[in-house]
Amino acid sequence: MAEIHVIISSCDRNVGIATALRRKPVLVNFTSKLEQTMADEDEVKLFGMWASPYSRRVELALKLKGIPYEYVEEDLSSKSCLLLKYNPVHQKIPVLVHNGKPIAESLVILEYIDETWTNNPILPQDPYDRAMARFWAKFIDEKLLMTTRKASVASGKEKEQAIEEITEQLKLLESELQGKEYFSGPSIGYLDIVASVLVFWFGNLQEALGVDMFTKEKFPIIFGWIGKVAEIDAVEVCRIPKEKHLEYIRTRLEAFKSASK
């Protein structure tokens, strides 16, 4: 109502309201403002880092949904003022900024994307299936990835124990995938996007560490899934460049070893 009030008050006071609203300049002005509002609502930015599996999973969701966005690469050794502004609590990537409003944490961002852009839903519609998808997503982040990081920096018996834990965790994931085309069912969805770390990141880390814990022979079902996922165009676009990633991982591992001496 405030917008209409401004438009009418700018009209000739001797002209009736109905006549004033029919005038072409008024309609053009209203239309341009409406178009600008719609454009503003579509403003999406993603603050990420090329080697981060968490950042890549958000990119994958945006691409699968067909959502245009601006990508902002962050240097995590010198974080930008905007990143610190948009995520003052954790000061980490990824951060999705939609229409000026920031959302942090990749799993939270994925759900926000699905609830905001309802086309091509990635979360299951059934409440139980949604709960299970969230459960296994947390399992990947809080169990598998945390144990993998532990194995990356450990040595000796501690490293062997961590690798054994990873193997058991991967077996549990393979059991969850058994009999399905994708983790989410007949098509790629939320849990597949979270598990894309196995496509983008896991194998490169294993190679950089010089271990042999994640192979096609040990996990044929997961590797069959990886083959299907890799055929999806959006997944291929989001793939982390292997050689660049290996160099990055090895540099990080060497820096950690030097710092721990």
Side-chain angles (χ1 to χ4, degrees):
M1 291 302 294
E3 179 65 34
I4 294 175
H5 173 75
V6 171
I7 294 171
I8 294 172
S9 64
S10 67
C11 298
D12 187 339
R13 295 185 181 181
N14 295 321
V15 178
I17 292 175
T19 304
L21 288 175
R22 286 199 298 269
R23 285 187 172 179
K24 188 174 181 181
V26 174
L27 293 177
V28 171
N29 183 41
F30 180 81
T31 302
S32 64
K33 288 180 181 294
L34 179 60
E35 289 172 347
Q36 182 60 49
T37 300
M38 293 173 67
D40 291 342
E41 289 175 351
D42 287 337
E43 185 180 3
V44 180
K45 291 184 180 181
L46 173 62
F47 289 78
M49 188 268 181
W50 69 270
S52 166
Y54 305 104
S55 177
R56 291 285 174 161
R57 67 171 51 150
V58 176
E59 285 192 80
L60 178 55
L62 290 169
K63 290 183 184 299
L64 288 171
K65 287 272 192 177
I67 302 166
Y69 66 97
E70 177 186 345
Y71 177 76
V72 181
E73 176 72 16
E74 279 290 332
D75 178 358
L76 299 185
S77 64
S78 179
K79 297 173 183 177
S80 71
C81 294
L82 281 177
L83 177 62
L84 301 181
K85 170 188 172 183
Y86 287 134
N87 190 5
V89 177
H90 298 299
Q91 301 182 359
K92 295 179 179 179
I93 54 94
V95 177
L96 185 80
V97 182
H98 179 213
N99 213 20
K101 297 177 181 179
I103 305 98
E105 301 294 311
S106 66
L107 296 184
V108 177
I109 294 171
L110 292 182
E111 294 211 30
Y112 177 84
I113 288 172
D114 203 39
E115 292 171 1
T116 303
W117 292 275
T118 55
N119 63 301
N120 303 328
I122 57 175
L123 272 161
Q125 298 301 305
D126 180 78
Y128 177 79
D129 292 340
R130 289 170 76 92
M132 288 299 97
R134 292 181 178 120
F135 171 84
W136 285 108
K138 290 192 71 175
F139 175 84
I140 290 170
D141 277 11
E142 297 178 8
K143 291 288 187 181
L144 180 60
L145 294 188
M146 293 302 291
T147 311
T148 303
R149 286 193 178 85
K150 181 180 176 182
S152 301
V153 298
S155 58
K157 191 170 183 178
E158 185 181 2
K159 185 171 186 174
E160 290 177 9
Q161 184 178 357
I163 290 174
E164 288 178 7
E165 288 181 31
I166 292 168
T167 301
E168 292 305 311
Q169 290 163 358
L170 286 169
K171 285 179 181 178
L172 290 173
L173 267 184
E174 180 147 85
S175 296
E176 174 62 18
L177 182 58
Q178 190 168 13
K180 302 177 183 177
E181 285 290 308
Y182 299 92
F183 280 105
S184 301
S187 60
I188 189 171
Y190 172 82
L191 188 53
D192 300 278
I193 293 169
V194 176
S196 64
V197 62
L198 298 172
V199 182
F200 297 148
W201 184 80
F202 210 85
N204 293 345
L205 177 64
Q206 174 180 255
E207 186 172 335
L209 290 173
V211 296
D212 195 29
M213 58 184 173
F214 185 53
T215 65
K216 186 175 182 179
E217 289 70 31
K218 291 179 181 178
F219 302 101
I221 296 174
I222 291 178
F223 272 82
W225 166 81
I226 288 174
K228 293 172 190 169
V229 169
E231 292 176 355
I232 299 171
D233 290 343
V235 174
E236 186 60 31
V237 171
C238 292
R239 186 183 291 275
I240 300 173
K242 182 175 180 178
E243 294 306 319
K244 183 180 178 182
H245 193 211
L246 286 172
E247 182 181 356
Y248 172 80
I249 295 171
R250 287 166 180 152
T251 301
R252 295 264 299 182
L253 291 173
E254 286 301 319
F256 179 84
K257 290 177 183 177
S258 299
S260 60
K261 288 180 181 179

